[in-house]
Amino acid sequence: MTHTALTALACALLTASALASTGPQSSAGPARASSHANAQKPGTWIQAPMKKGGSGVSVRWRMAAAPKVGEPVALTIELGGLRSPEGARVEVKGENVKLARATGMQALKAGPPQQQQVSFTPTAEGVYFINVFTEQAGRVSAVSLPVQVGKAGVKLEKPGQTTTLPNGERAVIMQSS
């Protein structure tokens, strides 16, 4: 696959993951990244879910302090499961936020877990997403790390205008591109 195709696939997966992360926490285990309120205690590691057939790189993260509007938010991202002799690659991007420094695609050596520091300054309350793309042994994964700032939730755009058809069914009218 080309880099463009991989990026498009990863963005689609991240969008689905981000939309799914707005729901309640699953009862299937410890606090996950989707549980904003419970999982985001400063200094607590949060394990991002791994997908079958993904890169095999595990991602966990923590914040140094509770995020506040107008103050830099520092995140430590730990990447483990680096087993491929050729190493792995990682890229960290902000979905609805500008990171303090661009990371670009970076090489990771096989071996023990490695950490990266990222930071951003939130301009309003809400949920900010830090996207982590990993590649190892030709397999790619994408995970979205939600950072809750204040009490405001995710703002989803309405896809179109809802109307009722003559037969009584409800439909969403979308604008053509």
Side-chain angles (χ1 to χ4, degrees), residues 134-157:
T134 58
E135 182 182 354
Q136 178 174 234
R139 298 179 306 177
V140 178
S141 290
V143 65
S144 189
L145 312 177
V147 177
Q148 177 73 47
V149 178
K151 297 188 187 289
V154 177
K155 294 177 185 172
L156 300 176
E157 294 180 18

Side-chain angles (χ1 to χ4, degrees), residues 23-60:
Q25 177 179 348
S26 167
S27 60
R32 302 178 135 188
S34 63
S35 178
H36 304 299
N38 295 330
Q40 286 198 258
K41 294 180 181 141
T44 302
W45 285 104
I46 302 167
Q47 180 69 49
M50 289 184 66
K51 298 164 184 82
K52 283 187 177 182
S55 68
V57 176
S58 66
V59 177
R60 67 182 198 149

